[in-house]
């Protein structure tokens, strides 16, 4: 009876061959056109009438928007790089364990083979894994528009609310930069979802720098706990870096839990989300610490 709902509302479709052409179409759409990347979020949103763009601009024929390269400054990921390509890429496997671990949690192969890294960030689902990773890794998104040219947006300034970003209506994200970390660190991504491949009820991305048997620095971001991914740093959590790591991780978990006001939905109560955030924070930090290289010593596990 509701089968009409699964059919998309009418829209025009264009598949430009160049970025300039795509940006021109987007600008002319005056807020009523949307970029189509992998379509794994936008098409379901349209089927459910949560989005009704009059024009879809398919970017998949535009050259130069996919691919991964690494240099001394860090890793550059083209926005149209699919999640599966990123997950299998030797550079990601060799030098971005946090990104790799998070990618392994996303959806199923059929989704990841079309869904893109840039699309996940631009969609800004508060429960998605990649926005949390982008915050911890201090990612920088490159955005282009026809009128204003190129600008760089720090991940910290990019996520404004549920499905809302700092992008202007006429901007396209062309790439994501992950700067090389100033100090070696250990990392960990953990999440709890009802079934493998589902969106997580809560996810935690953690990164730890260690100094011998103490924590020198840490960065955490949580997904599924509010209207956007939530970033925490060592000083914000008022942690004593001189404390023994085990007690620091426990305090960090409690401190994160106490600062969150998660929502309630059919998947989890607010109290359960808080509990997950507390427990997962503690576990992710412990694992990240164990994986962190010890300066002047052997690498962690
Ligand atoms: C069954 C199912 C399970 C899923 N499970 C998960 C999960 O566990 N975790 C998770 O994180 N995701 C999950 N997803 C979503 C998936 O990761 C999507 O691929 C992702 O959210 C969007 O990427 P996309 O390339 O498909 O973007 P699209 O759907 O094409 O676009 C999404 C939005 O971003 C905009 N956009 C896309 N690319 C750009 C760009 N370069 N510049 C500007 N705007 C852009 C579009 O206009 C649109 O508004 C799931 C999806 C499905 C269908």
């Amino acid at each position: 009876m509701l089968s009409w709902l699964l059919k998309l509302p009418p829209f025009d479709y264009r598949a430009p061959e160049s970025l300039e052409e795509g940006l021109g179409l987007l600008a002319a759409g005056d807020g009523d056109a949307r970029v189509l990347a992998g379509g794994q979020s936008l098409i379901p949103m349209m089927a459910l009438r949560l989005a009704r763009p009059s024009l879809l601009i398919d970017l998949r024929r535009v050259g130069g928007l996919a691919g991964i390269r690494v240099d001394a400054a860090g890793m550059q990921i083209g926005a149209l790089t699919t999640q599966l390509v990123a997950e299998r890429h030797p550079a990601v496997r060799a030098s971005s364990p946090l990104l790799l671990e998070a990618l392994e949690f996303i959806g199923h192969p059929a989704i990841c083979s079309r869904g893109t890294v840039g699309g996940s960030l631009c969609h800004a689902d508060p429960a998605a894994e990649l926005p949390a990773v982008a915050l911890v890794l201090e990612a920088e998104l490159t955005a282009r528009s026809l009128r204003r040219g190129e600008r760089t947006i720090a991940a910290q300034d990019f996520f404004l609310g549920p499905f809302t970003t700092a992008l202007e209506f006429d901007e396209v994200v062309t790439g994501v930069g992950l700067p090389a970390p100033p100090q070696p660190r250990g990392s960990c991504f953990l999440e709890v979802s009802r079934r493998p491949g589902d969106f997580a009820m809560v996810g935690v991305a953690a990164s730890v720098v260690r100094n011998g048997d103490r924590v020198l620095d840490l960065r955490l971001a949580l997904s599924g706990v509010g209207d956007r991914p939530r970033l925490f740093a060592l000083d914000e959590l008022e942690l004593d870096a001189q404390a023994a790591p085990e007690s620091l991780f426990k305090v960090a978990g409690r401190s994160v839990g106490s600062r969150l006001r998660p929502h309630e939905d059919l998947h989890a109560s607010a109290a359960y989300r808080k509990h997950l955030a507390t427990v997962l924070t503690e576990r992710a930090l412990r694992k990240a610490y164990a994986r962190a290289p010890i300066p002047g010593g052997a690498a962690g596990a």
Side-chain angles (χ1 to χ4, degrees):
M1 266 213 321
L2 291 175
S3 60
W4 64 271
L5 265 181
L6 299 175
K7 293 204 166 77
L8 301 184
F11 61 91
D12 288 328
Y13 172 86
R14 300 285 293 275
E17 305 267 342
S18 74
L19 183 58
E20 266 53 43
E21 189 190 345
L23 291 174
L25 289 166
L26 197 56
D30 206 18
D32 213 19
R34 291 283 270 278
V35 159
L36 179 71
Q40 297 303 295
S41 295
L42 183 52
I43 299 300
M45 297 272 282
M46 289 172 69
L48 294 169
R49 305 310 194 254
L50 296 171
R52 291 190 85 138
S54 60
L55 171 64
L56 289 189
I57 303 161
D58 189 341
L59 291 181
R60 286 171 301 173
R61 284 195 197 157
V62 174
L65 291 182
I68 297 181
R69 65 183 164 77
V70 181
D71 57 25
M75 186 181 291
Q76 274 298 326
I77 306 177
L80 269 277
T81 309
T82 65
Q83 295 152 6
L84 199 63
V85 164
E87 189 185 327
R88 292 180 176 172
H89 200 281
V92 172
R93 300 192 87 81
S95 58
S96 198
L98 182 61
L99 176 61
L100 176 63
E101 215 163 14
L103 284 163
E104 287 168 347
F105 277 113
I106 299 180
H108 306 281
I111 290 147
C112 299
S113 65
R114 286 183 171 269
T116 63
V117 171
S120 175
L121 298 174
C122 294
H123 186 55
D125 189 318
E129 288 83 358
L130 297 188
V133 169
L135 286 175
V136 168
L137 298 184
E138 299 179 71
E140 294 179 333
L141 291 94
T142 304
R144 284 267 307 266
S145 71
L146 205 56
R147 276 195 309 129
R148 296 177 308 283
E150 196 164 279
R151 67 171 173 140
T152 302
I153 311 170
Q156 212 163 324
D157 303 322
F158 189 72
F159 305 105
L160 301 183
F163 313 105
T164 309
T165 68
L167 278 186
E168 300 288 341
F169 78 90
D170 59 347
E171 281 180 312
V172 164
V173 168
T174 55
V176 186
L178 304 179
Q183 293 152 305
R185 61 194 171 190
S187 63
C188 178
F189 193 97
L190 290 179
E191 69 175 42
V192 170
S193 59
R194 289 203 171 270
R195 298 169 305 184
D198 279 2
F199 275 101
M201 288 180 273
V202 173
V204 178
S207 138
V208 172
V209 179
R210 65 189 277 183
N211 179 11
D213 61 357
R214 291 290 181 267
V215 171
L216 187 63
D217 196 15
L218 65 81
R219 233 172 131 80
L220 280 169
L222 286 88
S223 58
V225 293
D227 67 350
R228 67 192 93 171
R230 183 75 195 275
L231 176 69
F232 293 100
L234 183 75
D235 45 354
E236 191 188 346
L237 292 173
E238 294 165 21
L239 298 172
D240 174 11
Q242 292 315 310
E246 212 21 64
S247 79
L248 184 139
F249 303 148
K250 279 195 168 50
V251 175
R254 284 200 298 270
S255 179
V256 164
S258 70
R259 278 156 217 264
L260 296 173
R261 301 280 171 271
H263 59 289
E264 181 159 271
D265 60 18
L266 76 169
H267 301 296
S269 67
Y272 184 54
R273 283 201 153 88
K274 233 176 198 306
H275 171 72
L276 285 179
T278 305
V279 173
L280 291 180
T281 294
E282 187 185 326
R283 286 186 194 161
L285 285 174
R286 185 178 298 122
K287 221 164 176 178
Y289 175 83
R291 291 170 173 177
I294 305 164

mmCIF file of all heavy atoms in Angstrom, residues 19 22-23 26 35 59 65 79-80 122 142-145 167-175:
data_model
loop_
_atom_site.group_PDB
_atom_site.id
_atom_site.type_symbol
_atom_site.label_atom_id
_atom_site.label_comp_id
_atom_site.label_asym_id
_atom_site.label_seq_id
_atom_site.Cartn_x
_atom_site.Cartn_y
_atom_site.Cartn_z
ATOM 1 N N LEU A 19 34.492 19.190 -13.214
ATOM 2 C CA LEU A 19 34.058 19.772 -11.944
ATOM 3 C C LEU A 19 33.440 21.151 -12.176
ATOM 4 O O LEU A 19 32.431 21.505 -11.559
ATOM 5 C CB LEU A 19 35.262 19.864 -10.989
ATOM 6 C CG LEU A 19 34.960 20.378 -9.587
ATOM 7 C CD1 LEU A 19 33.909 19.505 -8.892
ATOM 8 C CD2 LEU A 19 36.229 20.435 -8.744
ATOM 9 N N GLY A 22 29.932 20.821 -13.193
ATOM 10 C CA GLY A 22 29.124 20.416 -12.038
ATOM 11 C C GLY A 22 28.871 21.580 -11.091
ATOM 12 O O GLY A 22 27.754 21.779 -10.606
ATOM 13 N N LEU A 23 29.933 22.363 -10.845
ATOM 14 C CA LEU A 23 29.784 23.511 -9.939
ATOM 15 C C LEU A 23 28.825 24.550 -10.531
ATOM 16 O O LEU A 23 28.052 25.180 -9.800
ATOM 17 C CB LEU A 23 31.155 24.146 -9.670
ATOM 18 C CG LEU A 23 32.126 23.294 -8.838
ATOM 19 C CD1 LEU A 23 33.494 23.960 -8.765
ATOM 20 C CD2 LEU A 23 31.571 23.055 -7.439
ATOM 21 N N LEU A 26 25.345 23.298 -10.013
ATOM 22 C CA LEU A 26 24.981 23.410 -8.594
ATOM 23 C C LEU A 26 24.617 24.853 -8.250
ATOM 24 O O LEU A 26 23.613 25.113 -7.572
ATOM 25 C CB LEU A 26 26.170 22.925 -7.745
ATOM 26 C CG LEU A 26 25.930 22.568 -6.292
ATOM 27 C CD1 LEU A 26 24.839 21.517 -6.149
ATOM 28 C CD2 LEU A 26 27.224 22.045 -5.654
ATOM 29 N N VAL A 35 24.279 17.316 -5.062
ATOM 30 C CA VAL A 35 25.329 16.468 -5.612
ATOM 31 C C VAL A 35 25.012 15.007 -5.297
ATOM 32 O O VAL A 35 24.594 14.699 -4.182
ATOM 33 C CB VAL A 35 26.666 16.888 -4.959
ATOM 34 C CG1 VAL A 35 27.681 15.795 -5.048
ATOM 35 C CG2 VAL A 35 27.168 18.179 -5.564
ATOM 36 N N LEU A 59 28.430 13.123 -9.716
ATOM 37 C CA LEU A 59 29.844 13.520 -9.867
ATOM 38 C C LEU A 59 30.743 12.385 -10.340
ATOM 39 O O LEU A 59 31.949 12.569 -10.493
ATOM 40 C CB LEU A 59 30.374 14.027 -8.526
ATOM 41 C CG LEU A 59 29.820 15.355 -8.004
ATOM 42 C CD1 LEU A 59 30.475 15.702 -6.676
ATOM 43 C CD2 LEU A 59 30.049 16.473 -9.020
ATOM 44 N N LEU A 65 38.538 13.178 -8.777
ATOM 45 C CA LEU A 65 37.917 13.315 -7.453
ATOM 46 C C LEU A 65 38.069 12.054 -6.608
ATOM 47 O O LEU A 65 37.660 12.036 -5.454
ATOM 48 C CB LEU A 65 36.424 13.657 -7.584
ATOM 49 C CG LEU A 65 36.080 15.046 -8.129
ATOM 50 C CD1 LEU A 65 34.575 15.250 -8.154
ATOM 51 C CD2 LEU A 65 36.731 16.129 -7.265
ATOM 52 N N ALA A 79 37.363 12.988 -2.567
ATOM 53 C CA ALA A 79 36.028 12.879 -1.965
ATOM 54 C C ALA A 79 35.227 11.710 -2.526
ATOM 55 O O ALA A 79 34.432 11.090 -1.832
ATOM 56 C CB ALA A 79 35.261 14.183 -2.187
ATOM 57 N N LEU A 80 35.442 11.388 -3.820
ATOM 58 C CA LEU A 80 34.645 10.331 -4.460
ATOM 59 C C LEU A 80 35.251 8.939 -4.270
ATOM 60 O O LEU A 80 34.765 7.965 -4.845
ATOM 61 C CB LEU A 80 34.461 10.646 -5.949
ATOM 62 C CG LEU A 80 33.235 11.455 -6.376
ATOM 63 C CD1 LEU A 80 32.005 10.576 -6.536
ATOM 64 C CD2 LEU A 80 32.942 12.607 -5.463
ATOM 65 N N CYS A 122 29.863 14.594 4.131
ATOM 66 C CA CYS A 122 28.896 15.644 3.749
ATOM 67 C C CYS A 122 27.496 15.307 4.215
ATOM 68 O O CYS A 122 26.699 16.207 4.492
ATOM 69 C CB CYS A 122 28.893 15.834 2.232
ATOM 70 S SG CYS A 122 30.445 16.489 1.623
ATOM 71 N N THR A 142 38.556 20.009 1.694
ATOM 72 C CA THR A 142 38.705 21.029 0.655
ATOM 73 C C THR A 142 37.370 21.167 -0.057
ATOM 74 O O THR A 142 36.810 20.175 -0.545
ATOM 75 C CB THR A 142 39.796 20.617 -0.356
ATOM 76 O OG1 THR A 142 40.990 20.380 0.383
ATOM 77 C CG2 THR A 142 40.035 21.718 -1.371
ATOM 78 N N ALA A 143 36.856 22.404 -0.091
ATOM 79 C CA ALA A 143 35.558 22.656 -0.739
ATOM 80 C C ALA A 143 35.766 23.641 -1.880
ATOM 81 O O ALA A 143 36.557 24.577 -1.767
ATOM 82 C CB ALA A 143 34.573 23.219 0.281
ATOM 83 N N ARG A 144 35.049 23.406 -2.995
ATOM 84 C CA ARG A 144 35.158 24.299 -4.156
ATOM 85 C C ARG A 144 33.791 24.801 -4.552
ATOM 86 O O ARG A 144 32.810 24.064 -4.518
ATOM 87 C CB ARG A 144 35.716 23.523 -5.372
ATOM 88 C CG ARG A 144 37.174 23.244 -5.361
ATOM 89 C CD ARG A 144 38.033 24.286 -6.067
ATOM 90 N NE ARG A 144 37.655 24.605 -7.426
ATOM 91 C CZ ARG A 144 38.167 24.029 -8.498
ATOM 92 N NH1 ARG A 144 39.043 23.051 -8.380
ATOM 93 N NH2 ARG A 144 37.823 24.432 -9.697
ATOM 94 N N SER A 145 33.735 26.078 -4.931
ATOM 95 C CA SER A 145 32.530 26.614 -5.561
ATOM 96 C C SER A 145 32.976 27.420 -6.761
ATOM 97 O O SER A 145 34.145 27.827 -6.846
ATOM 98 C CB SER A 145 31.732 27.483 -4.587
ATOM 99 O OG SER A 145 32.417 28.688 -4.349
ATOM 100 N N LEU A 167 29.086 23.516 4.670
ATOM 101 C CA LEU A 167 29.118 23.722 3.209
ATOM 102 C C LEU A 167 28.023 24.687 2.778
ATOM 103 O O LEU A 167 26.891 24.589 3.253
ATOM 104 C CB LEU A 167 28.859 22.403 2.483
ATOM 105 C CG LEU A 167 29.990 21.420 2.264
ATOM 106 C CD1 LEU A 167 29.490 20.276 1.408
ATOM 107 C CD2 LEU A 167 31.207 22.084 1.652
ATOM 108 N N GLU A 168 28.369 25.575 1.837
ATOM 109 C CA GLU A 168 27.338 26.412 1.207
ATOM 110 C C GLU A 168 26.650 25.580 0.125
ATOM 111 O O GLU A 168 27.198 24.586 -0.338
ATOM 112 C CB GLU A 168 27.981 27.650 0.583
ATOM 113 C CG GLU A 168 28.721 28.547 1.564
ATOM 114 C CD GLU A 168 27.786 29.318 2.477
ATOM 115 O OE1 GLU A 168 26.600 29.454 2.141
ATOM 116 O OE2 GLU A 168 28.263 29.782 3.539
ATOM 117 N N PHE A 169 25.457 26.022 -0.288
ATOM 118 C CA PHE A 169 24.665 25.211 -1.225
ATOM 119 C C PHE A 169 25.376 24.962 -2.548
ATOM 120 O O PHE A 169 25.103 23.970 -3.241
ATOM 121 C CB PHE A 169 23.301 25.881 -1.490
ATOM 122 C CG PHE A 169 23.359 27.036 -2.443
ATOM 123 C CD1 PHE A 169 23.204 26.822 -3.809
ATOM 124 C CD2 PHE A 169 23.615 28.330 -1.994
ATOM 125 C CE1 PHE A 169 23.272 27.874 -4.707
ATOM 126 C CE2 PHE A 169 23.690 29.388 -2.885
ATOM 127 C CZ PHE A 169 23.525 29.160 -4.244
ATOM 128 N N ASP A 170 26.335 25.871 -2.914
ATOM 129 C CA ASP A 170 26.982 25.744 -4.224
ATOM 130 C C ASP A 170 28.383 25.135 -4.117
ATOM 131 O O ASP A 170 29.155 25.184 -5.062
ATOM 132 C CB ASP A 170 27.061 27.110 -4.905
ATOM 133 C CG ASP A 170 27.839 28.144 -4.083
ATOM 134 O OD1 ASP A 170 28.102 27.869 -2.891
ATOM 135 O OD2 ASP A 170 28.181 29.198 -4.632
ATOM 136 N N GLU A 171 28.703 24.539 -2.966
ATOM 137 C CA GLU A 171 30.048 23.981 -2.776
ATOM 138 C C GLU A 171 30.057 22.455 -2.895
ATOM 139 O O GLU A 171 29.125 21.785 -2.447
ATOM 140 C CB GLU A 171 30.594 24.354 -1.395
ATOM 141 C CG GLU A 171 31.138 25.769 -1.333
ATOM 142 C CD GLU A 171 31.676 26.097 0.052
ATOM 143 O OE1 GLU A 171 30.973 25.822 1.045
ATOM 144 O OE2 GLU A 171 32.781 26.638 0.135
ATOM 145 N N VAL A 172 31.182 21.967 -3.421
ATOM 146 C CA VAL A 172 31.437 20.529 -3.490
ATOM 147 C C VAL A 172 32.706 20.249 -2.696
ATOM 148 O O VAL A 172 33.683 20.999 -2.803
ATOM 149 C CB VAL A 172 31.626 20.091 -4.962
ATOM 150 C CG1 VAL A 172 32.271 18.725 -5.056
ATOM 151 C CG2 VAL A 172 30.288 20.086 -5.698
ATOM 152 N N VAL A 173 32.683 19.185 -1.905
ATOM 153 C CA VAL A 173 33.926 18.749 -1.254
ATOM 154 C C VAL A 173 34.707 17.937 -2.279
ATOM 155 O O VAL A 173 34.179 16.983 -2.853
ATOM 156 C CB VAL A 173 33.633 17.917 0.010
ATOM 157 C CG1 VAL A 173 34.895 17.224 0.511
ATOM 158 C CG2 VAL A 173 33.066 18.808 1.114
ATOM 159 N N THR A 174 35.953 18.347 -2.522
ATOM 160 C CA THR A 174 36.763 17.635 -3.523
ATOM 161 C C THR A 174 37.724 16.644 -2.863
ATOM 162 O O THR A 174 38.130 15.675 -3.488
ATOM 163 C CB THR A 174 37.572 18.633 -4.370
ATOM 164 O OG1 THR A 174 38.341 19.463 -3.493
ATOM 165 C CG2 THR A 174 36.651 19.494 -5.223
ATOM 166 N N GLY A 175 38.103 16.900 -1.623
ATOM 167 C CA GLY A 175 39.046 15.992 -0.984
ATOM 168 C C GLY A 175 39.105 16.186 0.518
ATOM 169 O O GLY A 175 38.586 17.177 1.054
#
